[in-house]
Amino acid sequence: MKKLGLLFLAMVMLCACQKPENATVKNTESKNTDVPKQSQPTSPQLDKGVGPIKEVKLDPIDKKLAKTGKLIFEGKCMACHKLDKKFSGPPLGGIAGKKTPEYIMNFILNPEGMTKDNLSGQALLEQYLTAMPNLQLKTDDARAILEYLRTTK
Amino acid sequence: MNNKMNFVNEYITSGLTVICSLLITILCLTGCSGGGVVNKDNLSAAEKTYVPPGKYDEFYAFLSGGYSGQIDVYGLPSGRLFKVIPVFSQDPCSGYGYSEETKPLLMTSYGFLPWDDLHHLQISRSNAILDGRWLFANGNNTPRIARIDLPAFETVETIELPNCAGNHSSPYISANTEYAVGGGRFSIPVPNKDVSINSYKQNFKGILSFVKIDPKSGHMKLGFQLLVPGYDYDLARFGKGPSKDWCFFTSYNAEQAHTLLEVNASQFDKDYTIAVNWKKLAALVDSGKGETFNTKYCHNILDPNSRVASTNVISQETVLTNKDYAGCVYFLPTAKSPHGMDVDPTGEYMTAGGKLAAEVTIFSFKKMLAAIENQAYEKSIDNIPVLKYSEIIATQVAKPGLGPLHNEFDDSGNGYVTNFISSDVTKYNVQSGEVLDKIPVYYSPGHLLIPGGDTSKPWGKYLVALNKITKDRYLPTGPDMDHSAQLIDISGAKMKLLLDFPTHGEPHYGQAILASMLMPKSVKFFDLAKSTHPYVTKSEKDVKVTRKGNEVHVYMTEIRSHMNPDNIQGIKVGDKVYFHVTSLEQSWSIGHGFAILGGDIPNIRVMSGETKTVIWTPKHPGIYPFYCTDFCSALHQEMQGYVQVVGANTDKVPLSWSMGNDKTD
């Protein structure tokens, strides 16, 4: 049966093209592929998610930052997230007590990666079925939103 | 025993394998795929044009759509269609020309004109090398030039050319994108008036327009126009290198016939190419020469921050007549009824397709300058000197084929000419005029393109023949068949046909550029934070509906997967309702749309971060559902809402709006 390899080889010889010279332009959009994929469930207290945020040190609540965060939240997030009820996405009141700060900021900054490569993110996508859009927020914006969410219940 | 059996098994299996392999080989070589006959040559052509899934083409090719008024963007070598860019035509697919933001781009002195015949394309260039900033296109019927922004692949500016009809020799641009030109294939009275058609010779004039292009913004402005004898100005090219200060226009109908041109405009053995020193003319205009004409034309431009277009009506312009332009304008006698005018990559040779003469005339720029210097004139027409043909000719391509139309060049000193009547493309040496190769195309090519083939730096790898007649090349689709383009490999001594692909509308010309020059710059979304649209809604908390008299403005947002507001009550019959729809998204390739029951405007589509406006005037009381037309998410089908329309004189339903309010009466 090993000789069936010959058949395969013949098909390959006939069908495979040489590496086309014309495909010199590289796909630059598939950058999420090098993010390590999560295979084991992680407890919400430990799950930092996937994305640019590796470590966030929390101090007592910075009220000014939380106020900035509230404005951004109202402008950018509230179209889909309410504090107290399900909407296009999950309710977010008190979320900072349930999820790690890194997880929350990574979800804001890397929604594509979080719903693809994080088990908890995948589960949320399966539940809500609308992929969270990337609103191109900056790290500082995400940090301010986190601060605001820490003040919510 | 076991070993023996294994041996036999293996023997049989390998024998079977060889037979199967041979069968597959034979099948593939004799035609097993899709009904076509596949042979070795075709397999090699398939390899050269196959772009695997997820990989990219080497070139972007922009092909004009002719009477579609659009530009089609293809990949080379695959021939895949990527996008249709609406330019002079309303587009129900994108809402271009229907949305309030884009309608002004179609304004002219004749009013709102939602169609034109889009013929020729030019990618912007620096030092006669493509730089890929903008793409220019001409409107042939009601003379216009459009500018397409290449990072966004959209039309951002149009300018009308006054005093002109049939703007065919356009929009050809100069080596550093300083000017685009226009020229009429119809001469008409200038300014236009209701003279007798029989008075053609006295009253009809040609107008050549020079449109100045701002080097930073790309904004166009009518620099000046040139009043010339009443011929039919057909095609144009600027020089490059040594000839960069000149522009050349072919013309036919030196006979000045005004009826049955088929016969009457083909009487003379020679017509004329008009050579214009545009640099000197621009300096004349700057020094105050020329006549100010009162006229009326529209200049329309899309503001990049608000993404709203506006129209500026202009009422004056400068026209240079033969009193002003002595020493700057000359006629070059050219073989019978020429068509295309093209300048080789060195800028020394100008080629004119003879059309009715079965020859390509190749002029020498050096000789032309010497003839001007020596005043080697055979006569003058309207004070424009006609240079002696024998003094300016470099060589001729004798018998390239029948009906030679257009020339394009590679980077090895060769020219390629399309022959409409004999239906082939001929390769020749530009210096000697010697015919080197010929390949049949299917059928009757008009223009051709080589990536960069009209610049100083062609990529001499592919040639695309833009054929006019399709007949049996594809599965038949009734009397009207899309045209057929053919991709030809020109990298070797012999041209090889690689691929047929259908082209929509009628591509009159095209431009192709290395994909890597445009791809990194392609816009992914519009920055909502920077939008200055007067009716933008940047956050759902700003959603509102306002009324002033019978004018109602709905400030609506869209994001996956809802529209806000999605319940609007108290609109009245006779109201003029403006839906200003903003996409709150900031994602690449995610679009939303808007359409409403009974809406007399096609859907509009809204890309991430932009605002688009449609007007709706409800005619009857009732409930009018609206929805997002662009399949944006799994819950796209839920992305919908309702408008309640009440009678014109009903006051019991106040204007109200909401989203997510699920209380019932």
Side-chain angles (χ1 to χ4, degrees):
Chain A
M1 294 304 279
K2 277 183 274 175
K3 293 290 171 66
L4 277 177
L6 255 180
L7 174 66
F8 179 66
L9 189 68
M11 288 172 75
V12 167
M13 283 169 70
L14 283 166
C15 304
C17 290
Q18 292 167 0
K19 190 182 174 195
E21 289 163 39
N22 48 41
T24 51
V25 185
K26 295 278 183 291
N27 186 337
T28 55
E29 288 305 313
S30 310
K31 56 193 171 197
N32 285 328
T33 50
D34 51 3
V35 176
K37 288 190 182 172
Q38 194 187 4
S39 56
Q40 294 296 318
T42 310
S43 78
Q45 288 75 28
L46 296 175
D47 188 359
K48 295 189 173 184
V50 290
I53 304 302
K54 306 296 174 208
E55 194 72 47
V56 179
K57 283 216 169 85
L58 291 181
D59 294 319
I61 287 173
D62 175 341
K63 283 187 182 163
K64 203 176 149 203
L65 187 61
K67 203 173 165 188
T68 308
K70 184 169 191 277
L71 287 175
I72 303 170
F73 185 83
E74 286 170 353
K76 294 287 181 186
C77 312
M78 279 195 76
C80 300
H81 296 282
K82 307 298 169 192
L83 292 175
D84 54 350
K85 62 173 177 182
K86 281 186 179 179
F87 212 61
S88 306
L92 294 181
I95 192 76
K98 297 173 200 158
K99 297 281 186 185
T100 67
E102 294 85 0
Y103 176 97
I104 293 170
M105 285 181 67
N106 279 328
F107 227 124
I108 298 168
L109 296 171
N110 181 33
E112 304 94 336
M114 282 295 289
T115 46
K116 188 165 163 261
D117 298 325
N118 177 275
L119 291 181
S120 154
Q122 288 170 7
L124 284 168
L125 180 58
E126 280 171 28
Q127 185 185 350
Y128 285 88
L129 294 173
T130 292
M132 174 163 153
N134 188 334
L135 293 179
Q136 312 294 332
L137 294 175
K138 303 279 178 284
T139 306
D140 287 350
D141 300 331
R143 181 66 189 80
I145 293 168
L146 169 68
E147 203 66 0
Y148 166 64
L149 290 173
R150 290 178 71 200
T151 68
T152 63
K153 285 182 183 140
Chain B
M1 191 68 177
N2 246 348
N3 281 346
K4 210 174 188 178
M5 280 306 287
N6 278 348
F7 173 78
V8 171
N9 261 342
E10 255 187 50
Y11 189 81
I12 293 169
T13 312
S14 63
L16 271 174
T17 309
V18 170
I19 291 164
C20 286
S21 310
L22 275 172
L23 260 175
I24 287 174
T25 310
I26 291 162
L27 276 172
C28 283
L29 291 179
T30 54
C32 63
S33 64
V37 174
V38 179
N39 57 36
K40 271 186 194 164
D41 282 349
N42 289 359
L43 277 175
S44 156
E47 278 181 356
K48 285 180 176 164
T49 56
Y50 179 66
V51 178
K55 300 294 180 193
Y56 298 122
D57 277 282
E58 188 178 3
F59 293 96
Y60 282 101
F62 299 90
L63 306 187
S64 74
Y67 33 66
S68 79
Q70 302 170 327
I71 295 169
D72 299 328
V73 188
Y74 293 85
L76 297 181
S78 72
R80 295 182 295 187
L81 175 67
F82 299 144
K83 187 186 176 81
V84 175
I85 305 174
V87 182
F88 297 117
S89 294
Q90 283 177 309
D91 177 31
C93 178
S94 62
Y96 174 88
Y98 292 106
S99 68
E100 293 303 299
E101 288 76 8
T102 53
K103 271 158 70 178
L105 289 166
L106 301 175
M107 278 305 294
T108 72
S109 61
Y110 302 88
F112 177 74
L113 295 187
W115 175 84
D116 214 301
D117 189 7
L118 189 157
H119 271 236
H120 309 123
L121 299 177
Q122 290 274 275
I123 293 176
S124 59
R125 51 206 67 197
S126 306
N127 295 318
I129 297 172
L130 297 182
D131 62 26
R133 290 179 296 165
W134 309 299
L135 178 65
F136 295 88
N138 67 314
N140 185 59
N141 183 46
T142 305
R144 287 178 269 183
I145 294 179
R147 180 169 61 91
I148 291 91
D149 178 64
L150 281 184
F153 290 73
E154 66 175 359
T155 306
V156 292
E157 187 178 4
T158 53
I159 188 166
E160 191 183 353
L161 306 178
N163 299 321
C164 179
N167 179 42
H168 194 263
S169 46
S170 182
Y172 298 96
I173 59 175
S174 58
N176 283 300
T177 319
E178 298 100 330
Y179 280 92
V181 290
R185 48 82 53 106
F186 297 106
S187 282
I188 54 170
V190 178
N192 205 351
K193 55 189 172 194
D194 58 346
V195 299
S196 157
I197 297 169
N198 294 333
S199 71
Y200 186 106
K201 286 186 183 172
Q202 302 92 282
N203 286 322
F204 288 42
K205 296 288 176 197
I207 275 278
L208 307 178
S209 305
F210 285 76
V211 174
K212 202 169 182 178
I213 300 163
D214 184 90
K216 282 217 172 84
S217 64
H219 290 185
M220 298 184 285
K221 179 181 146 187
L222 183 55
F224 56 91
Q225 292 191 313
L226 216 58
L227 197 69
V228 289
Y231 305 152
D232 294 29
Y233 293 88
D234 200 13
L235 282 149
R237 285 288 184 186
F238 276 88
K240 52 176 83 82
S243 55
K244 70 177 170 21
D245 295 348
W246 291 76
C247 186
F248 309 93
F249 297 78
T250 51
S251 73
Y252 58 99
N253 195 20
E255 297 85 349
Q256 298 193 292
H258 58 81
T259 182
L260 194 61
L261 268 67
E262 179 184 22
V263 176
N264 296 336
S266 312
Q267 298 299 307
F268 298 168
D269 190 37
K270 297 264 188 302
D271 285 276
Y272 300 105
T273 295
I274 191 164
V276 173
N277 187 320
W278 61 268
K279 196 100 184 227
K280 280 191 183 171
L281 293 176
L284 286 178
V285 172
D286 287 344
S287 71
K289 280 266 165 48
E291 216 173 298
T292 302
F293 273 38
N294 291 320
T295 180
K296 191 180 161 194
Y297 63 98
C298 289
H299 178 211
N300 313 307
I301 193 156
L302 185 83
D303 178 83
N305 300 314
S306 65
R307 302 189 42 70
V308 179
S310 59
T311 294
N312 187 16
V313 181
I314 303 171
S315 56
Q316 284 194 330
E317 50 130 355
T318 305
V319 177
L320 293 170
T321 66
N322 60 5
K323 296 197 297 288
D324 308 305
Y325 58 58
C328 305
V329 179
Y330 299 89
F331 275 130
L332 321 180
T334 307
K336 200 166 182 169
S337 299
H339 194 54
M341 161 53 60
D342 300 287
V343 179
D344 88 311
T346 68
E348 162 61 12
Y349 299 105
M350 298 93 76
T351 63
K355 197 169 75 182
L356 305 185
E359 68 177 51
V360 177
T361 309
I362 303 184
F363 297 110
S364 156
F365 180 69
K366 262 187 221 151
K367 284 187 166 184
M368 186 196 92
L369 287 188
I372 291 171
E373 179 76 23
N374 301 330
Q375 302 197 348
Y377 306 150
E378 60 182 51
K379 62 178 175 180
S380 75
I381 299 170
D382 284 1
N383 293 330
I384 300 173
V386 179
L387 302 180
K388 278 188 186 152
Y389 182 72
S390 57
E391 298 288 317
I392 54 176
I393 197 87
T395 186
Q396 288 163 326
V397 183
K399 301 200 169 165
L402 293 179
L405 294 184
H406 295 281
N407 291 266
E408 199 98 320
F409 306 92
D410 68 15
D411 46 355
S412 308
N414 302 309
Y416 299 79
V417 61
T418 48
N419 302 304
F420 181 82
I421 301 167
S422 52
S423 194
D424 41 36
V425 172
T426 299
K427 174 181 178 180
Y428 60 89
N429 180 290
V430 176
Q431 276 196 337
S432 67
E434 183 195 354
V435 170
L436 302 173
D437 190 24
K438 195 180 272 200
I439 189 168
V441 292
Y442 310 93
Y443 301 93
S444 298
H447 271 276
L448 75 172
L449 84 84
I450 290 169
D454 64 329
T455 71
S456 288
K457 194 186 161 196
W459 289 277
K461 192 168 177 181
Y462 302 118
L463 180 156
V464 181
L466 301 168
N467 305 309
K468 302 289 189 191
I469 296 166
T470 308
K471 292 195 280 195
D472 56 1
R473 292 306 282 185
Y474 305 117
L475 294 175
T477 53
D480 189 6
M481 303 273 289
D482 265 4
H483 286 197
S484 162
Q486 262 132 19
L487 182 75
I488 294 165
D489 178 356
I490 56 164
S491 59
K494 298 287 284 178
M495 293 182 276
K496 283 183 195 143
L497 177 61
L498 297 178
L499 180 75
D500 275 23
F501 62 97
T503 53
H504 193 56
E506 181 179 348
H508 288 266
Y509 187 41
Q511 294 263 280
I513 185 169
L514 212 54
S516 57
M517 291 176 72
L518 295 190
M519 197 176 156
K521 296 189 291 185
S522 179
V523 171
K524 293 195 163 68
F525 58 88
F526 302 106
D527 188 344
L528 179 62
K530 289 189 180 146
S531 172
T532 58
H533 192 292
Y535 295 95
V536 66
T537 309
K538 291 193 181 181
S539 153
E540 283 202 354
K541 68 181 188 323
D542 301 324
V543 162
K544 62 185 171 187
V545 182
T546 64
R547 172 189 286 285
K548 193 177 173 190
N550 70 343
E551 197 175 291
V552 176
H553 291 268
V554 180
Y555 294 71
M556 179 181 280
T557 61
E558 293 191 305
I559 191 164
R560 284 166 278 175
S561 305
H562 57 269
M563 302 159 97
N564 191 357
D566 64 2
N567 282 196
I568 303 168
Q569 310 212 72
I571 301 282
K572 295 179 182 179
V573 168
D575 279 349
K576 190 175 184 185
V577 184
Y578 290 75
F579 289 99
H580 308 287
V581 185
T582 299
S583 167
L584 297 178
E585 306 269 359
Q586 293 286 270
S587 301
W588 185 27
S589 188
I590 296 291
H592 291 295
F594 178 86
I596 188 160
L597 175 67
D600 51 4
I601 283 178
N603 100 102
I604 47 159
R605 278 171 59 249
V606 190
M607 295 301 113
S608 290
E610 71 174 358
T611 303
K612 286 282 167 67
T613 302
V614 278
I615 297 174
W616 176 56
T617 47
K619 293 176 181 63
H620 307 287
I623 294 296
Y624 291 81
F626 57 86
Y627 70 104
C628 169
T629 49
D630 189 336
F631 202 107
C632 54
S633 64
L635 293 163
H636 156 78
Q637 202 70 349
E638 282 73 9
M639 203 163 162
Q640 62 177 52
Y642 297 95
V643 176
Q644 176 206 31
V645 175
V646 297
N649 302 316
T650 307
D651 282 327
K652 61 181 180 196
V653 183
L655 188 65
S656 69
W657 65 95
S658 63
M659 193 264 312
N661 176 5
D662 46 11
K663 78 170 187 231
T664 50
D665 287 338

